[in-house]
Amino acid sequence: MLAAKFAARAAAARRPGARLSSTVAGPSSYRLVVIGGGAAGLAVSSTLSEKLGANEVAVIEPSAVHYQQPLFTFVGGGLKSFADTHRPTADVIAPGAKWIRQAAAAIDPAQNTVTLADGARVSYEYLVVAAGIELDFAGIKGLEAAIGRDGVASNYSPKYVQKTFEFLQNVRSGNALFTMPATPIKCAGAPQKIAYLADELFREKDARHRVNLSYYTALGKIFAIDKYADAMNSVAQSRGIDVNLFHDLVEVDGPAKKATFQILGSGPRAGESVTVPYEFLHVTPPMKPYDFIKRSPIANAAGFVDVNQYTLQHSRFPNVYAIGDCSSLPTSKTAAAAAAQAKVLKHNLLRQIRGSDGPAASYDGYTSCPLVTGKHKLVLAEFSGYTGKPHETFFFNQANEHAFSYWLTADVLPEVYWNSMLKGTWSGPAAIRRVANPASSD
């Protein structure tokens, strides 16, 4: 029985000389296995490795480097160094958690096992899936051949984010295009943020009058929440950025520097294709759930982990939970959402492990999307993805561009991320909201 293995291993860890350290090797069974060493996975594993003790928690994560992805926009806009965005994974995994440096290849919830890329199996008593979402550059014809050259870049990839600023600096005239796909993506505001930074950069170079900026989104609105959509439409209009709704990027011809869009929706032009020449093209690639999740019994029809939107517990396998971008939670996929979700998940999972009769915690869909609009300017969107209503932390109207919001996002939150969120001690701004904006508090 797994329970006997867990008890024996815990007893061994308590012997003199037993160490708590991150490692790439370890036992084949754990009380808790967390798939994913990103922000969501570490926020959970850091706390639970402390609560459950030595050798009880394993983190399955293949990457040797952990990236703070919210900073990628600042790197692409030339406002931050790429070096600020990453640290060794070994430095951010909690000392009490075991690091299994492999990719997950399959999940068998009936047998309580995860198969690794090398074919080895890891058993669990409880499973948290925090695998994130996969960038699908192959989902757009010609993009894989063009990305990183021919004026094509993407802030979504550590491989290409530095190309964004490099290519923008070389633009003197022509069309600069910025795209948003039809699929669910992480950080839904990032596709347009770089357009505003590019506008500012071109103005500083006295080239803006020679460069046409266009934002192409496959969606029917510039932003999902009406209050912030109105704000972003005003920003785009004031900057002379052309916004094209229902335009989905389907092909990139790098050598010819042409981008082809398919018109979606139900309008008279639906189904038509439009080809636009470009000097610079920032692509937000389509994104998709990882295959090992899509092929497993824990996935819903769309391929995301099928969990209760309030408790984060799986709808059919009660010892399985999911958090963050890989989950079926119907809210925006952001680090802010993951922080709020982590508090709920940890409470509910520990409640289950301990057999507590206390009430379950409930996630209300809170998320935040800081929309950078220039140097020292930012619209701080905070809302519930479940209700579509703003849920702002501060007393001022956060739909307005504000230097305080920029400072908070660019300078304060990165420190919170490294020093608190990844250690499991940051669960969002609810406590601050109760003081700074009581009318909007939980």
Side-chain angles (χ1 to χ4, degrees):
M1 296 289 292
L2 286 176
K5 294 181 181 179
F6 299 140
R9 190 172 63 253
R14 289 191 291 270
R15 290 197 297 266
R19 294 178 58 210
L20 292 178
S21 62
S22 297
T23 180
V24 296
S28 60
S29 60
Y30 297 86
R31 189 85 177 276
L32 170 66
V33 168
V34 178
I35 300 177
L42 294 184
V44 171
S45 61
S46 293
T47 299
L48 294 181
S49 62
E50 180 180 347
K51 297 287 187 182
L52 299 179
N55 298 323
E56 296 294 319
V57 177
V59 178
I60 298 173
E61 170 55 54
S63 178
V65 180
H66 177 97
Y67 294 97
Q68 187 187 354
Q69 296 178 57
L71 284 180
F72 283 0
T73 288
F74 293 95
V75 174
L79 303 177
K80 292 278 187 180
S81 166
F82 182 65
D84 296 333
T85 69
H86 56 90
R87 295 182 182 178
T89 299
D91 290 354
V92 295
I93 288 184
K98 296 294 183 179
W99 176 23
I100 300 175
R101 190 179 167 186
Q102 291 233 23
I107 300 172
D108 185 346
Q111 297 297 319
N112 292 331
T113 62
V114 177
T115 301
L116 305 176
D118 68 356
R121 291 187 180 184
V122 177
S123 299
Y124 62 82
E125 187 173 349
Y126 299 94
L127 176 67
V128 172
V129 187
I133 193 169
E134 184 176 10
L135 304 180
D136 185 17
F137 287 102
I140 296 174
K141 184 179 179 181
L143 180 57
E144 286 186 305
I147 189 74
R149 56 178 68 87
D150 303 320
V152 183
S154 178
N155 287 347
Y156 275 88
S157 168
K159 185 176 180 180
Y160 304 119
V161 63
Q162 295 179 89
K163 290 292 185 180
T164 300
F165 187 59
E166 176 188 329
F167 291 160
L168 283 173
Q169 289 180 299
N170 294 329
V171 175
R172 297 291 181 268
S173 62
N175 295 328
L177 313 181
F178 306 83
T179 74
M180 166 79 168
T183 66
I185 66 167
K186 52 187 172 182
C187 194
Q192 62 184 286
K193 290 188 283 189
I194 188 59
Y196 307 128
L197 293 177
D199 166 76
E200 188 173 69
L201 178 64
F202 295 146
R203 292 180 190 278
E204 290 175 348
K205 296 194 306 178
D206 195 28
R208 181 63 178 88
H209 60 290
R210 297 190 299 270
V211 182
N212 303 310
L213 269 68
S214 298
Y215 179 62
Y216 289 86
T217 173
L219 307 181
K221 297 168 63 175
I222 195 171
F223 197 78
I225 309 303
D226 287 340
K227 176 178 181 177
Y228 305 114
D230 291 342
M232 303 323 293
N233 278 322
S234 295
V235 170
Q237 185 175 12
S238 70
R239 310 287 172 82
I241 298 173
D242 184 35
V243 176
N244 300 271
L245 307 180
F246 293 118
H247 281 64
D248 190 26
L249 181 66
V250 294
E251 184 175 355
V252 176
D253 184 339
K257 288 194 170 184
K258 292 182 178 180
T260 298
F261 300 86
Q262 183 177 31
I263 301 178
L264 307 180
S266 56
R269 298 184 61 199
E272 288 184 18
S273 293
V274 178
T275 298
V276 183
Y278 64 81
E279 184 64 24
F280 172 81
L281 174 63
H282 179 272
V283 178
T284 300
M287 300 180 199
K288 61 182 182 179
Y290 284 97
D291 285 343
F292 78 89
I293 295 176
K294 288 193 293 185
R295 294 193 301 259
S296 76
I298 68 172
N300 65 9
F304 294 93
V305 184
D306 189 10
V307 294
N308 181 286
Q309 71 180 52
Y310 301 110
T311 66
L312 282 71
Q313 186 177 33
H314 199 274
S315 60
R316 299 184 305 280
F317 302 101
N319 64 333
V320 176
Y321 291 75
I323 182 174
D325 299 351
C326 69
S327 75
S328 62
L329 302 176
T331 191
S332 294
K333 300 179 183 298
T334 68
Q341 293 162 19
K343 180 180 180 180
V344 172
L345 189 154
K346 288 183 287 191
H347 174 92
N348 291 340
L349 180 52
L350 282 171
R351 173 177 173 270
Q352 182 181 11
I353 291 173
R354 294 168 175 171
S356 171
D357 293 328
S362 182
Y363 172 58
D364 63 2
Y366 169 82
T367 190
S368 176
C369 187
L371 294 155
V372 184
T373 56
K375 294 178 182 177
H376 311 299
K377 293 186 290 185
L378 186 144
V379 170
L380 185 54
E382 285 186 288
F383 54 94
S384 167
Y386 294 173
T387 66
K389 296 180 179 179
H391 198 38
E392 298 182 344
T393 295
F394 300 101
F395 59 88
F396 58 87
N397 182 359
Q398 293 178 197
N400 293 333
E401 296 175 281
H402 206 288
F404 171 81
S405 299
Y406 180 93
W407 169 78
L408 181 72
T409 302
D411 299 323
V412 177
L413 290 181
E415 295 301 314
V416 171
Y417 182 93
W418 293 118
N419 298 316
S420 187
M421 182 173 178
L422 298 189
K423 296 178 180 179
T425 58
W426 171 254
S427 55
I432 299 171
R433 187 181 302 117
R434 284 191 287 270
V435 175
N437 193 12
S440 182
S441 64
D442 296 332

